[in-house]
Amino acid sequence: MGYPGKNHKQYSTPKRRFEKTRMEEEVKIVIEYGLRNKRELWKAESTLRKYRKATREILALESAGTDPKRAEVKRQQLINHLARYGLVSDSGDVDIDDILALKVQQELERRLQTLVYRKGLARSPKQARQLITHGHITLNGRRVNIPGYLVPKSEEASIGYYRHSPLATVSHAERTRITGR
């Protein structure tokens, strides 16, 4: 089993290490989302892999015909989890195919780093990462210094500058560069 306090790898590396097309696509995604390295991309891919595996297990439960109630409960739990993070729509018409069709870009769009950039609190994804790690960004009034934090839909509107940060003042030089005013 291993020591529970030890951190374990949360991703798996690609099977073909030097596949040119995959590497080029990964570089584009890393640049677009301002990721530190490809490891962050592989973590997002591993998370999607877990969701797909859970979906296949639900399909296996349904096809086996063992307990349809149990399969429906697991399906609702998975859909509610994905809807809470904004990976699927909140409406009740979410299908298993929607979960299987999730792309890594959808997961990367829910990261705090990307949302800070999309809200206009930073000029670039790299600057958004810097602001987060330096403690200038809050979520629900609390500092968050993890750029890869997946933001739930309910907390998305509460992203802002830390109240004691120099960037909290509207007249700050960097903030005027960000907003362009």
Side-chain angles (χ1 to χ4, degrees):
M1 174 160 166
Y3 179 65
K6 184 177 181 339
N7 292 334
H8 297 282
K9 198 162 83 167
Q10 299 173 345
Y11 63 94
S12 59
T13 56
K15 296 205 185 299
R16 295 176 140 183
R17 293 182 57 190
F18 300 106
E19 188 177 10
K20 185 177 180 181
T21 57
R22 180 194 47 79
M23 288 173 63
E24 289 170 351
E25 291 170 7
E26 285 178 347
V27 167
K28 287 178 188 174
I29 292 172
V30 166
I31 291 170
E32 180 184 352
Y33 290 99
L35 304 178
R36 193 170 118 223
N37 50 33
K38 289 184 183 178
R39 190 178 312 135
E40 291 186 338
L41 176 64
W42 296 337
K43 283 181 186 178
E45 288 173 349
S46 293
T47 305
L48 286 181
R49 221 174 282 126
K50 289 176 190 173
Y51 294 148
R52 289 189 189 112
K53 182 180 178 187
T55 305
R56 288 193 305 271
E57 288 174 0
I58 291 168
L59 287 174
L61 282 174
E62 289 175 351
S63 66
T66 54
D67 190 7
K69 206 174 199 181
R70 183 173 164 215
E72 186 58 33
V73 167
K74 285 192 176 238
R75 169 186 260 181
Q76 283 307 313
Q77 286 175 344
L78 180 62
I79 290 173
N80 289 341
H81 175 78
L82 293 174
R84 189 169 47 245
Y85 285 101
L87 294 173
V88 295
S89 64
D90 290 339
S91 63
D93 61 339
V94 176
D95 194 17
I96 293 291
D97 294 333
D98 297 335
I99 299 171
L100 293 174
L102 285 174
K103 301 278 187 233
V104 72
Q105 287 87 349
Q106 290 171 293
E107 170 122 5
L108 294 175
E109 284 291 331
R110 300 303 310 159
R111 288 169 48 102
L112 179 61
Q113 177 181 353
T114 307
L115 290 174
V116 166
Y117 172 62
R118 299 275 191 250
K119 283 188 84 170
L121 299 176
R123 286 186 284 165
S124 68
K126 290 281 191 181
Q127 187 184 31
R129 180 180 197 89
Q130 183 182 28
L131 292 177
I132 293 166
T133 57
H134 289 199
H136 296 290
I137 302 296
T138 63
L139 194 62
N140 284 337
R142 299 186 73 184
R143 273 189 192 179
V144 179
N145 60 0
I146 302 167
Y149 176 75
L150 284 182
V151 180
K153 273 291 221 194
S154 60
E155 296 178 359
E156 187 174 352
S158 65
I159 298 173
Y161 291 115
Y162 183 59
R163 67 175 187 259
H164 297 300
S165 168
L167 291 171
T169 59
V170 180
S171 61
H172 191 275
E174 184 60 32
R175 190 156 171 192
T176 56
R177 281 190 216 120
I178 292 169
T179 58
R181 295 180 198 159

